[in-house]
Coordinates of all heavy atoms in Angstrom, one line a residue:
M888 N 0.8 -1.2 0.0 CA 0.0 0.0 0.0 C 0.9 1.2 0.0 O 1.8 1.4 0.8 CB -0.9 0.0 1.3 CG -1.8 1.1 1.3 SD -2.9 0.8 2.7 CE -3.7 2.4 2.8
Q889 N 0.7 2.1 -0.9 CA 1.5 3.3 -1.0 C 0.9 4.4 -0.2 O -0.4 4.6 -0.1 CB 1.6 3.8 -2.5 CG 2.4 2.9 -3.3 CD 2.9 3.6 -4.5 OE1 2.3 4.6 -5.0 NE2 4.0 3.2 -5.1
P890 N 1.7 5.3 0.4 CA 1.2 6.4 1.2 C 0.6 7.5 0.3 O 0.9 7.6 -0.9 CB 2.5 7.0 1.9 CG 3.6 6.5 1.0 CD 3.2 5.2 0.4
A891 N -0.3 8.3 0.9 CA -0.9 9.4 0.1 C 0.2 10.4 -0.3 O 1.2 10.5 0.4 CB -2.0 10.0 0.9
M892 N 0.0 11.1 -1.4 CA 1.0 12.0 -1.8 C 1.0 13.3 -1.0 O 1.9 14.1 -1.1 CB 0.7 12.4 -3.3 CG 1.0 11.3 -4.3 SD 2.7 10.8 -4.2 CE 3.5 12.3 -4.9
N893 N 0.0 13.5 -0.1 CA 0.1 14.7 0.7 C 0.9 14.5 2.0 O 0.9 15.3 2.8 CB -1.3 15.2 1.0 CG -2.2 14.2 1.7 OD1 -1.7 13.1 2.0 ND2 -3.4 14.6 2.1
T894 N 1.5 13.3 2.2 CA 2.3 13.1 3.3 C 3.7 13.6 3.0 O 4.1 13.6 1.9 CB 2.4 11.6 3.7 OG1 2.9 10.9 2.5 CG2 1.0 11.0 4.0
P895 N 4.5 14.0 4.0 CA 5.8 14.5 3.8 C 6.7 13.4 3.2 O 6.4 12.2 3.4 CB 6.3 14.8 5.2 CG 5.1 15.0 6.0 CD 4.1 14.1 5.4
P896 N 7.7 13.7 2.4 CA 8.5 12.7 1.8 C 9.2 11.8 2.8 O 9.7 12.3 3.8 CB 9.5 13.5 0.9 CG 9.5 14.9 1.5 CD 8.1 15.1 2.1
R897 N 9.4 10.6 2.5 CA 10.0 9.6 3.4 C 11.4 9.3 3.1 O 12.1 8.8 3.9 CB 9.2 8.3 3.4 CG 7.8 8.6 3.9 CD 7.0 7.3 3.9 NE 5.6 7.5 4.1 CZ 5.0 7.5 5.3 NH1 5.6 7.3 6.3 NH2 3.7 7.7 5.3
D898 N 11.8 9.7 1.9 CA 13.2 9.4 1.5 C 13.8 10.5 0.7 O 13.0 11.4 0.3 CB 13.3 8.1 0.7 CG 12.4 8.0 -0.5 OD1 11.8 9.0 -0.8 OD2 12.4 6.9 -1.1
R899 N 15.1 10.5 0.4 CA 15.7 11.6 -0.3 C 15.2 11.7 -1.7 O 15.1 12.8 -2.2 CB 17.2 11.4 -0.3 CG 17.8 11.6 1.0 CD 19.3 11.4 0.9 NE 19.9 11.5 2.3 CZ 21.1 11.3 2.5 NH1 22.0 10.9 1.6 NH2 21.6 11.3 3.8
E900 N 15.1 10.6 -2.4 CA 14.6 10.7 -3.8 C 13.3 11.4 -4.0 O 13.2 12.2 -4.9 CB 14.6 9.3 -4.4 CG 15.9 8.6 -4.6 CD 16.4 7.9 -3.3 OE1 15.6 7.7 -2.4 OE2 17.6 7.6 -3.2
E901 N 12.4 11.1 -3.1 CA 11.1 11.7 -3.2 C 11.2 13.2 -2.9 O 10.5 14.0 -3.6 CB 10.1 11.1 -2.2 CG 8.7 11.6 -2.3 CD 7.7 10.8 -1.4 OE1 8.1 9.8 -0.8 OE2 6.6 11.3 -1.3
F902 N 12.0 13.6 -1.9 CA 12.2 15.0 -1.6 C 12.7 15.7 -2.9 O 12.2 16.8 -3.2 CB 13.1 15.1 -0.5 CG 13.5 16.6 -0.2 CD1 12.7 17.3 0.6 CD2 14.6 17.2 -0.7 CE1 13.0 18.7 0.9 CE2 15.0 18.5 -0.5 CZ 14.2 19.2 0.3
W903 N 13.8 15.1 -3.5 CA 14.4 15.8 -4.6 C 13.5 15.9 -5.8 O 13.6 16.8 -6.6 CB 15.8 15.2 -4.9 CG 16.8 15.6 -3.9 CD1 17.3 14.8 -2.9 CD2 17.3 16.9 -3.6 NE1 18.1 15.6 -2.1 CE2 18.1 16.9 -2.5 CE3 17.1 18.2 -4.2 CZ2 18.8 18.0 -2.0 CZ3 17.8 19.3 -3.7 CH2 18.6 19.2 -2.6
I904 N 12.7 14.8 -6.1 CA 11.8 14.9 -7.2 C 10.8 16.0 -7.0 O 10.5 16.8 -7.9 CB 11.1 13.5 -7.3 CG1 12.1 12.5 -7.9 CG2 9.9 13.6 -8.3 CD1 11.6 11.1 -7.8
R905 N 10.2 16.1 -5.8 CA 9.3 17.2 -5.5 C 10.0 18.5 -5.6 O 9.4 19.5 -6.1 CB 8.7 17.0 -4.1 CG 7.7 15.8 -4.0 CD 7.2 15.7 -2.6 NE 6.3 14.6 -2.5 CZ 5.5 14.4 -1.4 NH1 5.5 15.2 -0.4 NH2 4.7 13.4 -1.4
F906 N 11.2 18.6 -5.1 CA 11.9 19.9 -5.2 C 12.1 20.4 -6.6 O 11.9 21.5 -7.0 CB 13.3 19.8 -4.4 CG 14.1 21.1 -4.5 CD1 13.9 22.0 -3.5 CD2 15.0 21.3 -5.4 CE1 14.6 23.2 -3.5 CE2 15.8 22.4 -5.5 CZ 15.6 23.4 -4.5
V907 N 12.6 19.4 -7.4 CA 12.9 19.8 -8.8 C 11.7 20.2 -9.6 O 11.6 21.2 -10.4 CB 13.7 18.6 -9.5 CG1 13.8 18.8 -11.0 CG2 15.1 18.5 -8.9
C908 N 10.6 19.4 -9.4 CA 9.3 19.8 -10.1 C 8.8 21.2 -9.7 O 8.4 22.0 -10.5 CB 8.3 18.7 -9.8 SG 8.6 17.1 -10.6
A909 N 8.9 21.4 -8.4 CA 8.4 22.8 -7.9 C 9.4 23.8 -8.4 O 8.9 24.9 -8.8 CB 8.4 22.8 -6.4
F910 N 10.7 23.6 -8.4 CA 11.6 24.6 -8.9 C 11.4 24.9 -10.3 O 11.4 26.1 -10.7 CB 13.1 24.0 -8.7 CG 14.1 25.0 -9.0 CD1 14.6 25.9 -8.0 CD2 14.7 25.1 -10.2 CE1 15.6 26.8 -8.3 CE2 15.7 26.0 -10.5 CZ 16.1 26.9 -9.5
L911 N 11.2 23.9 -11.2 CA 10.9 24.2 -12.6 C 9.6 24.9 -12.8 O 9.6 25.9 -13.6 CB 10.9 22.9 -13.4 CG 12.3 22.1 -13.5 CD1 12.1 20.8 -14.1 CD2 13.3 23.0 -14.2
F912 N 8.6 24.5 -12.2 CA 7.3 25.1 -12.4 C 7.2 26.5 -11.9 O 6.9 27.5 -12.6 CB 6.2 24.3 -11.7 CG 4.8 24.8 -11.9 CD1 4.1 24.7 -13.1 CD2 4.1 25.5 -10.9 CE1 2.9 25.2 -13.3 CE2 2.9 26.0 -11.1 CZ 2.2 25.9 -12.3
F913 N 7.6 26.7 -10.6 CA 7.5 28.0 -10.0 C 8.6 28.9 -10.4 O 8.5 30.2 -10.4 CB 7.4 27.9 -8.5 CG 6.0 27.5 -8.0 CD1 5.9 26.2 -7.6 CD2 4.9 28.3 -8.1 CE1 4.6 25.7 -7.2 CE2 3.7 27.8 -7.7 CZ 3.5 26.5 -7.3
G914 N 9.7 28.3 -10.8 CA 10.8 29.1 -11.4 C 10.4 29.8 -12.7 O 10.7 31.0 -12.9
F915 N 9.7 29.1 -13.5 CA 9.2 29.6 -14.7 C 8.2 30.7 -14.5 O 8.2 31.8 -15.1 CB 8.6 28.5 -15.6 CG 8.0 29.0 -16.9 CD1 8.8 29.4 -17.9 CD2 6.6 29.1 -17.1 CE1 8.3 29.9 -19.1 CE2 6.1 29.5 -18.3 CZ 6.9 30.0 -19.3
L916 N 7.2 30.5 -13.5 CA 6.2 31.5 -13.2 C 6.9 32.8 -12.6 O 6.5 33.9 -13.0 CB 5.2 31.0 -12.2 CG 4.2 30.0 -12.8 CD1 3.3 29.5 -11.6 CD2 3.4 30.6 -13.9
A917 N 7.8 32.6 -11.7 CA 8.5 33.7 -11.1 C 9.3 34.5 -12.2 O 9.4 35.7 -12.1 CB 9.4 33.3 -10.0
A918 N 9.9 33.8 -13.1 CA 10.7 34.4 -14.1 C 9.8 35.3 -15.0 O 10.2 36.4 -15.4 CB 11.4 33.4 -15.0
L919 N 8.6 34.8 -15.3 CA 7.7 35.7 -16.1 C 7.3 36.9 -15.3 O 7.3 38.0 -15.9 CB 6.4 34.9 -16.4 CG 6.6 33.7 -17.4 CD1 5.3 33.0 -17.6 CD2 7.1 34.2 -18.8
L920 N 7.1 36.8 -14.0 CA 6.8 38.0 -13.3 C 8.0 39.0 -13.1 O 7.8 40.2 -13.2 CB 6.3 37.6 -11.9 CG 4.9 37.0 -11.8 CD1 4.6 36.5 -10.4 CD2 3.9 38.0 -12.2
I921 N 9.1 38.4 -12.9 CA 10.3 39.3 -12.8 C 10.6 40.0 -14.1 O 11.0 41.2 -14.1 CB 11.5 38.4 -12.3 CG1 11.3 37.8 -10.9 CG2 12.8 39.2 -12.4 CD1 11.2 38.8 -9.8
V922 N 10.5 39.3 -15.2 CA 10.8 39.9 -16.5 C 9.8 41.1 -16.7 O 10.2 42.1 -17.3 CB 10.7 38.9 -17.7 CG1 10.6 39.6 -19.0 CG2 11.9 38.0 -17.6
R923 N 8.6 40.9 -16.3 CA 7.6 42.0 -16.4 C 8.0 43.3 -15.7 O 7.7 44.4 -16.1 CB 6.2 41.5 -16.0 CG 5.1 42.5 -16.2 CD 3.8 41.9 -16.0 NE 2.8 43.0 -16.3 CZ 1.6 43.0 -15.8 NH1 1.2 42.0 -15.0 NH2 0.8 44.0 -16.1
F924 N 8.6 43.1 -14.5 CA 8.9 44.2 -13.7 C 10.4 44.5 -13.6 O 10.9 45.2 -12.7 CB 8.4 44.0 -12.2 CG 6.9 43.9 -12.2 CD1 6.4 42.6 -11.9 CD2 6.1 45.0 -12.3 CE1 5.0 42.5 -11.9 CE2 4.7 44.8 -12.3 CZ 4.2 43.6 -12.0
I925 N 11.2 44.0 -14.6 CA 12.6 44.2 -14.6 C 13.1 45.6 -14.7 O 14.1 46.0 -14.1 CB 13.3 43.3 -15.7 CG1 14.8 43.1 -15.4 CG2 13.1 43.9 -17.0 CD1 15.0 42.1 -14.3
D926 N 12.3 46.5 -15.3 CA 12.7 47.9 -15.5 C 12.7 48.6 -14.1 O 13.6 49.4 -13.8 CB 11.8 48.6 -16.4 CG 12.0 48.2 -17.9 OD1 13.1 47.7 -18.2 OD2 11.1 48.3 -18.7
S927 N 11.7 48.3 -13.3 CA 11.7 49.0 -12.0 C 12.5 48.3 -10.9 O 13.0 48.9 -10.0 CB 10.2 49.0 -11.5 OG 9.7 47.7 -11.4
L928 N 12.8 47.0 -11.1 CA 13.6 46.3 -10.1 C 15.1 46.3 -10.4 O 15.9 46.4 -9.4 CB 13.2 44.8 -10.1 CG 11.9 44.4 -9.5 CD1 11.6 42.9 -9.6 CD2 11.9 44.7 -8.0
G929 N 15.5 46.2 -11.6 CA 16.9 46.1 -11.9 C 17.2 44.6 -12.0 O 16.5 43.7 -11.4
I930 N 18.3 44.3 -12.7 CA 18.7 42.9 -12.9 C 19.1 42.2 -11.6 O 18.7 41.1 -11.3 CB 19.7 42.8 -14.0 CG1 19.1 43.2 -15.3 CG2 20.3 41.3 -14.0 CD1 20.1 43.2 -16.5
A931 N 19.9 42.9 -10.8 CA 20.5 42.2 -9.6 C 19.3 42.0 -8.6 O 19.3 40.9 -8.0 CB 21.5 43.1 -9.0
Q932 N 18.5 43.0 -8.3 CA 17.4 42.8 -7.4 C 16.4 41.7 -7.9 O 15.8 40.9 -7.2 CB 16.7 44.1 -7.1 CG 17.5 45.0 -6.2 CD 16.7 46.3 -6.0 OE1 15.9 46.7 -6.8 NE2 17.0 46.9 -4.8
G933 N 16.1 41.8 -9.2 CA 15.2 40.8 -9.8 C 15.7 39.4 -9.7 O 15.0 38.5 -9.3
L934 N 17.0 39.2 -9.9 CA 17.6 37.9 -9.8 C 17.6 37.4 -8.4 O 17.3 36.2 -8.1 CB 19.0 37.8 -10.4 CG 19.7 36.5 -10.5 CD1 18.9 35.5 -11.3 CD2 21.1 36.7 -11.1
G935 N 17.9 38.3 -7.5 CA 17.9 38.0 -6.0 C 16.5 37.6 -5.6 O 16.4 36.6 -4.8
L936 N 15.5 38.4 -5.9 CA 14.2 38.1 -5.6 C 13.7 36.8 -6.1 O 13.1 35.9 -5.5 CB 13.3 39.2 -6.0 CG 11.8 39.1 -5.7 CD1 11.6 39.1 -4.2 CD2 11.0 40.2 -6.3
W937 N 14.0 36.5 -7.4 CA 13.7 35.2 -8.0 C 14.3 34.1 -7.3 O 13.6 33.1 -7.0 CB 14.1 35.2 -9.5 CG 13.8 34.0 -10.2 CD1 12.6 33.7 -10.9 CD2 14.7 32.8 -10.4 NE1 12.7 32.4 -11.4 CE2 13.9 31.9 -11.1 CE3 15.9 32.5 -9.9 CZ2 14.5 30.6 -11.4 CZ3 16.5 31.3 -10.3 CH2 15.7 30.4 -11.0
T938 N 15.5 34.2 -7.0 CA 16.2 33.1 -6.3 C 15.6 32.8 -4.9 O 15.3 31.6 -4.6 CB 17.7 33.4 -6.1 OG1 18.3 33.7 -7.4 CG2 18.5 32.3 -5.4
V939 N 15.4 33.8 -4.1 CA 14.8 33.6 -2.8 C 13.4 33.0 -2.9 O 13.1 32.0 -2.2 CB 14.8 34.9 -2.0 CG1 13.9 34.8 -0.7 CG2 16.2 35.4 -1.7
V940 N 12.6 33.5 -3.7 CA 11.2 33.1 -3.9 C 11.1 31.6 -4.4 O 10.5 30.8 -3.8 CB 10.4 34.0 -4.8 CG1 9.0 33.4 -5.1 CG2 10.2 35.3 -4.1
V941 N 11.9 31.3 -5.4 CA 11.8 30.0 -6.0 C 12.4 28.9 -5.1 O 11.8 27.9 -4.9 CB 12.5 30.0 -7.4 CG1 12.6 28.6 -7.9 CG2 11.8 30.9 -8.3
L942 N 13.5 29.2 -4.4 CA 14.1 28.3 -3.5 C 13.1 28.0 -2.3 O 12.9 26.9 -1.8 CB 15.4 28.7 -3.0 CG 16.6 28.6 -4.0 CD1 17.8 29.2 -3.4 CD2 16.8 27.2 -4.4
W943 N 12.5 29.1 -1.7 CA 11.6 29.0 -0.6 C 10.4 28.1 -1.0 O 10.0 27.2 -0.3 CB 11.1 30.3 -0.1 CG 10.2 30.2 1.0 CD1 10.6 30.1 2.3 CD2 8.8 30.2 1.0 NE1 9.4 30.0 3.1 CE2 8.3 30.0 2.3 CE3 7.9 30.3 0.0 CZ2 7.0 30.0 2.7 CZ3 6.5 30.2 0.3 CH2 6.1 30.1 1.6
V944 N 9.8 28.4 -2.2 CA 8.6 27.7 -2.6 C 9.0 26.2 -2.9 O 8.2 25.3 -2.6 CB 8.0 28.3 -3.9 CG1 7.0 27.5 -4.5 CG2 7.4 29.7 -3.5
S945 N 10.1 26.0 -3.5 CA 10.6 24.6 -3.8 C 10.8 23.8 -2.6 O 10.4 22.6 -2.5 CB 11.8 24.6 -4.6 OG 11.6 25.3 -5.9
V946 N 11.4 24.3 -1.6 CA 11.6 23.6 -0.3 C 10.3 23.4 0.4 O 10.1 22.3 0.9 CB 12.6 24.4 0.6 CG1 12.6 23.8 2.0 CG2 14.0 24.4 0.0
Y947 N 9.4 24.4 0.4 CA 8.1 24.2 1.0 C 7.3 23.1 0.3 O 6.8 22.2 1.0 CB 7.4 25.5 0.9 CG 5.9 25.5 1.4 CD1 5.7 25.3 2.8 CD2 4.9 25.6 0.6 CE1 4.4 25.3 3.2 CE2 3.6 25.6 1.0 CZ 3.3 25.4 2.4 OH 2.0 25.3 2.8
A948 N 7.3 23.1 -1.0 CA 6.6 22.0 -1.8 C 7.2 20.7 -1.5 O 6.5 19.7 -1.5 CB 6.5 22.4 -3.2
A949 N 8.5 20.6 -1.4 CA 9.2 19.3 -1.3 C 8.9 18.8 0.1 O 8.8 17.5 0.3 CB 10.7 19.5 -1.5
K950 N 8.8 19.6 1.1 CA 8.6 19.1 2.5 C 7.2 18.8 2.8 O 6.9 17.8 3.5 CB 9.1 20.2 3.5 CG 10.6 20.2 3.6 CD 11.1 21.1 4.8 CE 12.6 21.0 4.9 NZ 13.0 21.1 6.3
V951 N 6.3 19.6 2.3 CA 4.8 19.5 2.7 C 4.1 18.5 1.7 O 3.3 17.7 2.2 CB 4.1 20.8 2.7 CG1 2.7 20.7 2.9 CG2 4.8 21.7 3.7
G952 N 4.5 18.5 0.5 CA 3.8 17.5 -0.5 C 2.7 18.2 -1.3 O 2.8 19.4 -1.6
D953 N 1.7 17.4 -1.6 CA 0.6 17.9 -2.5 C -0.1 19.1 -1.9 O -0.7 19.9 -2.6 CB -0.3 16.8 -2.9 CG 0.3 15.9 -3.9 OD1 1.3 16.2 -4.5 OD2 -0.3 14.8 -4.1
Q954 N -0.3 19.1 -0.6 CA -1.0 20.2 0.1 C -0.3 21.5 -0.2 O -1.0 22.6 -0.4 CB -1.1 20.0 1.6 CG -2.0 21.0 2.3 CD -3.4 21.0 1.8 OE1 -4.0 20.0 1.5 NE2 -4.0 22.2 1.6
A955 N 1.0 21.5 -0.3 CA 1.7 22.8 -0.7 C 1.3 23.3 -2.1 O 1.1 24.5 -2.2 CB 3.2 22.5 -0.6
W956 N 1.2 22.4 -3.0 CA 0.7 22.8 -4.4 C -0.6 23.4 -4.3 O -0.9 24.4 -5.0 CB 0.7 21.6 -5.3 CG 2.1 21.2 -5.7 CD1 2.9 20.2 -5.0 CD2 2.9 21.6 -6.8 NE1 4.1 20.1 -5.6 CE2 4.1 20.9 -6.7 CE3 2.7 22.5 -7.8 CZ2 5.2 21.2 -7.6 CZ3 3.7 22.8 -8.7 CH2 4.9 22.1 -8.6
L957 N -1.5 22.8 -3.6 CA -2.9 23.4 -3.5 C -2.9 24.7 -2.8 O -3.6 25.7 -3.2 CB -3.8 22.4 -2.7 CG -4.0 21.0 -3.3 CD1 -4.8 20.1 -2.3 CD2 -4.8 21.2 -4.6
D958 N -2.1 24.9 -1.7 CA -2.0 26.2 -1.1 C -1.4 27.2 -2.0 O -1.8 28.4 -2.0 CB -1.1 26.0 0.2 CG -1.7 25.2 1.3 OD1 -2.9 24.9 1.2 OD2 -0.9 24.7 2.2
L959 N -0.3 26.9 -2.7 CA 0.3 27.9 -3.6 C -0.5 28.3 -4.8 O -0.6 29.4 -5.1 CB 1.7 27.3 -4.1 CG 2.7 27.1 -3.0 CD1 3.9 26.3 -3.5 CD2 3.2 28.5 -2.5
I960 N -1.2 27.3 -5.3 CA -2.1 27.6 -6.4 C -3.3 28.5 -6.0 O -3.7 29.4 -6.7 CB -2.6 26.4 -7.1 CG1 -1.4 25.7 -7.9 CG2 -3.8 26.6 -8.1 CD1 -1.7 24.4 -8.4
E961 N -3.8 28.2 -4.8 CA -4.9 29.1 -4.2 C -4.4 30.5 -3.9 O -5.1 31.4 -4.2 CB -5.4 28.4 -2.9 CG -6.6 29.2 -2.3 CD -7.8 29.2 -3.2 OE1 -8.0 28.2 -4.0 OE2 -8.6 30.1 -3.2
A962 N -3.1 30.6 -3.5 CA -2.6 31.9 -3.3 C -2.4 32.7 -4.6 O -2.7 33.9 -4.6 CB -1.2 31.8 -2.6
I963 N -2.0 32.0 -5.6 CA -1.9 32.6 -6.9 C -3.3 33.1 -7.5 O -3.4 34.2 -8.0 CB -1.2 31.7 -7.9 CG1 0.3 31.5 -7.5 CG2 -1.3 32.2 -9.4 CD1 1.0 30.4 -8.3
R964 N -4.3 32.3 -7.2 CA -5.6 32.6 -7.7 C -6.1 33.9 -7.0 O -6.7 34.8 -7.6 CB -6.6 31.5 -7.4 CG -6.6 30.4 -8.3 CD -7.7 29.5 -8.1 NE -7.5 28.2 -8.8 CZ -8.0 27.1 -8.5 NH1 -8.7 27.0 -7.4 NH2 -7.7 26.0 -9.2
R965 N -5.8 34.0 -5.7 CA -6.3 35.2 -4.9 C -5.5 36.4 -5.4 O -6.1 37.5 -5.3 CB -6.1 35.0 -3.4 CG -7.2 34.2 -2.8 CD -7.1 34.2 -1.3 NE -7.0 32.8 -0.9 CZ -6.2 32.4 0.0 NH1 -5.4 33.2 0.6 NH2 -6.2 31.1 0.3
W966 N -4.3 36.3 -5.8 CA -3.4 37.4 -6.1 C -3.9 37.9 -7.5 O -4.1 39.0 -7.8 CB -2.0 37.0 -6.2 CG -1.1 38.1 -6.4 CD1 -1.0 39.3 -5.7 CD2 -0.1 38.2 -7.5 NE1 0.0 40.1 -6.3 CE2 0.5 39.5 -7.4 CE3 0.2 37.4 -8.5 CZ2 1.5 39.9 -8.2 CZ3 1.2 37.8 -9.4 CH2 1.8 39.0 -9.2

C-alpha cells in the first residue's frame, strides 16, 4: 500500500523529485513576473528576488507535499 501524496517525503529521492518539479514550475512563473517588472527592479534585485522566492517555494513544496501545491495555487488565484 502506497502512502498518500500529501504526506511528507519519506526518502531523499522523493524529496528531490518534489523539489525539482516545484523549482521548474514556480521558477518559470516567477521568471515571467520578474521579466515583467525588470525595469523597476533592476537585474540584480530581480535575480535575487527570483532566487529567494523559487528556493523557498521549492523547499516548501518538497517538505509538505501535495497540500503545498494546493496552497500555492490558491494563493496565486487570490493574487
Side-chain angles (χ1 to χ4, degrees):
M888 184 172 166
Q889 289 202 334
M892 287 301 292
N893 60 356
T894 59
R897 298 178 192 268
D898 56 6
R899 288 183 187 172
E900 291 82 18
E901 186 176 352
F902 175 86
W903 287 110
I904 289 170
R905 289 180 179 192
F906 180 86
V907 169
C908 290
F910 186 86
L911 292 173
F912 181 75
F913 287 105
F915 178 72
L916 287 179
L919 290 177
L920 287 173
I921 296 296
V922 167
R923 183 169 183 204
F924 298 107
I925 198 74
D926 289 336
S927 61
L928 287 174
I930 292 176
Q932 287 180 330
L934 186 58
L936 181 63
W937 179 86
T938 302
V939 169
V940 168
V941 173
L942 286 177
W943 182 83
V944 169
S945 299
V946 169
Y947 176 69
K950 285 189 174 213
V951 175
D953 285 347
Q954 185 61 41
W956 288 89
L957 297 173
D958 294 343
L959 292 167
I960 290 171
E961 185 61 31
I963 291 171
R964 280 187 193 155
R965 279 191 237 138
W966 184 57

